Amino acid sequence: MVRANIYDRLSQRREAAEAAARQQAEEARRAADCAMESAPPPSVLPLNAEQNALHIAGLNLQMPESFAFRDIDTTLEFAGCHVQFSVRRRNAPEGLELRDAVELFTRKLRERHTDMTVVRQAEAILAGHSAISLDYQFSAGQERRHGRAVCTIIVSADGNGRQWLNMSTVIDPDKSQLANWLIEFDAMLAGMTA
């Protein structure tokens, strides 16, 4: 009987471990799909463009009622690392579909970051509204960056207009401390309340 050399045996073990990991990931995806199908639909949260507040470090700053935000850009600290977080709100003209709006958003990203690559685009839910989640990568100088944007179009609370809402984050994917940030980001968006 001829015994395979050590490199062949190590390669076989690695391939078996990879196959088991793929099977486990596929089973987890199927279980998540089943759970999503049986879960009740999320409640739809209204958007009131003139009701704004910032809740930071336990302090609540209520904005005057006539004040409506357009852009919020902030730096968060997560696991000792800096993370960019942005929120954008714009009027969305009648007839503008979500997919077309995301295409325009992607085009504007490419204007800012010419080497930007879309990694994944998927249907999502934001505040109970149909949304699109977009993962992308680009370079900032010599460093890589990974961004995730969740975009939706919401009819305002008074029913008089449509609003484009985009919440996004950008991280340095090479920092191991940020390995769970995108999971936390998604959980943060899922926990939005009105």
Side-chain angles (χ1 to χ4, degrees), residues 19-192:
R22 279 192 302 273
Q23 182 178 358
Q24 195 174 30
E26 180 63 22
E27 289 171 2
R29 186 191 61 76
R30 279 194 212 124
D33 287 346
C34 289
M36 284 179 58
E37 289 173 7
S38 64
S43 59
V44 176
L45 301 179
L47 181 70
N48 185 343
E50 293 188 355
Q51 184 179 12
N52 293 284
L54 297 175
H55 191 79
I56 301 170
L59 301 174
N60 192 36
L61 176 62
Q62 190 73 33
M63 304 294 172
E65 192 167 313
S66 60
F67 175 85
F69 88 91
R70 288 182 52 85
D71 301 308
I72 295 174
D73 289 302
T74 189
T75 302
L76 305 175
E77 188 173 319
F78 180 79
C81 299
H82 291 177
V83 172
Q84 291 177 329
F85 175 70
S86 302
V87 182
R88 306 264 185 273
R89 182 197 59 81
R90 301 285 188 270
N91 292 330
E94 287 297 323
L96 178 65
E97 297 296 325
L98 180 58
R99 292 216 177 271
D100 297 331
V102 170
E103 189 176 308
L104 288 170
F105 174 76
T106 304
R107 204 174 306 145
K108 288 187 184 224
L109 277 174
R110 281 201 171 96
E111 288 173 8
R112 278 190 303 217
H113 310 290
T114 56
D115 65 335
M116 194 266 299
T117 303
V118 174
V119 177
R120 181 183 69 94
Q121 183 172 323
E123 292 182 7
I125 300 290
L126 180 61
H129 300 270
S130 294
I132 293 179
S133 177
L134 181 72
D135 280 85
Y136 55 94
Q137 292 182 341
F138 63 95
S139 297
Q142 298 296 318
E143 299 177 347
R144 289 183 328 129
R145 293 291 181 260
H146 183 97
R148 175 170 292 167
V150 182
C151 311
T152 190
I153 294 178
I154 300 176
V155 176
S156 60
D158 61 10
N160 289 329
R162 301 169 77 231
Q163 301 287 311
W164 159 262
L165 184 65
N166 155 22
M167 297 192 175
S168 61
T169 186
V170 174
I171 62 169
D172 179 348
D174 295 327
K175 292 191 175 176
S176 60
Q177 305 95 306
L178 297 177
N180 292 328
W181 168 244
L182 293 178
I183 295 167
E184 294 290 332
F185 175 73
D186 289 342
M188 180 175 75
L189 297 187
M192 286 176 58

